[in-house]
C-alpha cells in the first residue's frame, strides 16, 4: 500500500476521513510551518518588550521609593546593578530577536524575494538612520564582553531644597568607554567628549521604537502569506465538512499515512486556524514615536 494523505479526526474511535492529494497536504504542512515561524518571531519580540517594561518599571518604582523613603547613597549602587541587569536583559533579548529574524523570514518567504528583502533591509536602515540604535547595539556587545551597561545614576540633589523632584536617571559615561578601549570607535565618536554623560532612558526608548519599526515591516510583509495560510486551512475544514456535515472539526487534522498505516506529521486544522485568525485580528499596542513619550504623574 502506497503512502496516502488524509483529512481525518485525530481521536480514538473515529474512522471519518477524506483522502486528499499530496500537493494539498504539502500546502497545509507549509502553511503550518510558516505560521509557527511567525509565532517564534512574535515570542522573541514580546520577550524584548517585556524586558524593556521591567527596565522602565524598576526606574519608576525606585523613584517612588525615594519620594517616600529617601535612602543612603549605597542604595543607589544596588539600584545601578539592578538596572544594569534589566538593561542587559533588554539588549540580549533584542539581539536574539534580530539574529533569528532573517532565518525565520527566509523560512516564511523563501519564494518571495522582494518581500524578504524588505524585511532583511529593515535593521540596516535603522542602524544607518538612528544613532540611538547604533549605540544600543554597541552597548550590547560591551555589556556581553566588557562591563555592566549602566555606569551610574543621577538622582535628586538632597541639599538643593526641601521641595524637590524625585527621579532616577541611569547613564552611560563616554569617558569610561574611551578608557576601556574596546567600544566601537565609530559609535564612540558620536558621543559627548566634554565630560557629559549619556542618559539611557531616551536611548532605550528610541531603540525600542526602532525595533518596533523593524517588527512592523516583518508583520506587514508576512501578513499576505498568513492570510493565504488561513484560506488553505479553512478550505480543508470545509472540504471535510462537506462529506461529514454533522461532525465537529475540533480535532481535525491533515496527516500522512505510511504503508503500514502509521500516521505522521499531523497538521491540526481547527486549532491552527483558530490561532491564526486570532493573530490576524489581534490589536497590538503601538510603539510608534516611543522616543518622544514621557511618564508624568
Amino acid at each position: 500500500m502506497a503512502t496516502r494523505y488524509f483529512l481525518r479526526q485525530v481521536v480514538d474511535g473515529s474512522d471519518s476521513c477524506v483522502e486528499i492529494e499530496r500537493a494539498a497536504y504539502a500546502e497545509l504542512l507549509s502553511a503550518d510551518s510558516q505560521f509557527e515561524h511567525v509565532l517564534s518571531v512574535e515570542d522573541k519580540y514580546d520577550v524584548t518588550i517585556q524586558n524593556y517594561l521591567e527596565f522602565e518599571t524598576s526606574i519608576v518604582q525606585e523613584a517612588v521609593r525615594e519620594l517616600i523613603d529617601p535612602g543612603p547613597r549605597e542604595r543607589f549602587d544596588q539600584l545601578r546593578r539592578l538596572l544594569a541587569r534589566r538593561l542587559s536583559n533588554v539588549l540580549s533579548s533584542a539581539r536574539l530577536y534580530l539574529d533569528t529574524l532573517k532565518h525565520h523570514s527566509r523560512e516564511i518567504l523563501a519564494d518571495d524575494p522582494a518581500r524578504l528583502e524588505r524585511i532583511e533591509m529593515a535593521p540596516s536602515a535603522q542602524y544607518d538612520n538612528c544613532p540611538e540604535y547604533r549605540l544600543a547595539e554597541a552597548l550590547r556587545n560591551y555589556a556581553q564582553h566588557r562591563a555592566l551597561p549602566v555606569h551610574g545614576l543621577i538622582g535628586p540633589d538632597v541639599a538643593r531644597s526641601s521641595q524637590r523632584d524625585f527621579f532616577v536617571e541611569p547613564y552611560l559615561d563616554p569617558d569610561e568607554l574611551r578608557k576601556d578601549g574596546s567600544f566601537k570607535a565609530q559609535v564612540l565618536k558620536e558621543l559627548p567628549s566634554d565630560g557629559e554623560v549619556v542618559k539611557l532612558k531616551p536611548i532605550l526608548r528610541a531603540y525600542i521604537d526602532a525595533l518596533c519599526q523593524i517588527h512592523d515591516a516583518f508583520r506587514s510583509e508576512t501578513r499576505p502569506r498568513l492570510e493565504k495560510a488561513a484560506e488553505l486551512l479553512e478550505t480543508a475544514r470545509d472540504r471535510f465538512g462537506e462529506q461529514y456535515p454533522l461532525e465537529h472539526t475540533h480535532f481535525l487534522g491533515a496527516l500522512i499515512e505510511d504503508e503500514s498505516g502509521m500516521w505522521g506529521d499531523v497538521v491540526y486544522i481547527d486549532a491552527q486556524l483558530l490561532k491564526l485568525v486570532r493573530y490576524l485580528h489581534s490589536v497590538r499596542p503601538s510603539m510608534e514615536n516611543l522616543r518622544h513619550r514621557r511618564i508624568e504623574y
Side-chain angles (χ1 to χ4, degrees), residues 33 44 64 77 99 103-104 106 112 114 131 165 188 192 208 289 295:
S33 174
K44 294 162 192 171
V64 174
D77 200 44
D99 281 349
H103 162 69
H104 291 301
R106 288 179 177 178
D112 194 337
D165 295 329
L188 196 55
I208 295 297
N289 292 322
I295 299 173

Side-chain angles (χ1 to χ4, degrees), residues 17 23 28 187 221 226:
C17 64
L28 290 168
V187 176
E221 299 301 336
L226 294 182

Side-chain angles (χ1 to χ4, degrees), residues 52-157:
Y52 166 69
L53 179 62
E54 289 180 358
F55 173 78
E56 289 273 14
T57 302
S58 295
I59 293 173
V60 173
Q61 181 178 338
E62 291 305 319
V64 174
R65 187 196 302 274
E66 282 294 302
L67 182 146
I68 297 172
D69 179 25
R73 303 308 296 179
E74 291 79 8
R75 193 160 79 188
F76 257 44
D77 200 44
Q78 295 176 354
L79 177 57
R80 179 186 65 83
R81 291 193 291 270
L82 171 64
L83 295 181
R85 188 171 77 247
R86 295 277 191 261
L87 178 53
S88 293
N89 289 343
V90 177
L91 298 174
S92 295
S93 58
R95 187 69 260 165
L96 175 63
Y97 167 80
L98 292 166
D99 281 349
T100 58
L101 181 63
K102 182 180 293 187
H103 162 69
H104 291 301
S105 299
R106 288 179 177 178
E107 291 294 326
I108 300 164
L109 298 168
D111 58 349
D112 194 337
R115 290 188 180 277
L116 181 59
E117 182 179 18
R118 286 193 285 271
I119 295 174
E120 292 183 345
M121 291 300 295
S124 297
Q126 292 300 326
Y127 191 91
D128 292 341
N129 298 318
C130 179
E132 296 92 346
Y133 185 93
R134 291 193 292 273
L135 176 55
E137 287 291 284
L139 187 58
R140 193 275 314 165
N141 188 65
Y142 172 80
Q144 182 176 352
H145 299 290
R146 302 298 294 185
L148 295 179
V150 177
H151 289 154
L153 304 175
I154 302 171
D157 184 354

Side-chain angles (χ1 to χ4, degrees), residues 138-194:
L139 187 58
R140 193 275 314 165
N141 188 65
Y142 172 80
Q144 182 176 352
H145 299 290
R146 302 298 294 185
L148 295 179
V150 177
H151 289 154
L153 304 175
I154 302 171
D157 184 354
V158 178
R160 189 170 57 191
S161 68
S162 58
Q163 298 294 324
R164 54 196 172 97
D165 295 329
F166 289 82
F167 61 91
V168 174
E169 189 74 63
Y171 68 79
L172 190 66
D173 187 348
D175 290 338
E176 288 294 321
L177 299 178
R178 293 186 180 93
K179 289 178 185 177
D180 181 79
S182 66
F183 202 80
K184 191 167 185 176
Q186 177 185 352
V187 176
L188 196 55
K189 290 178 182 178
E190 299 173 352
L191 303 183
S193 58
D194 56 0

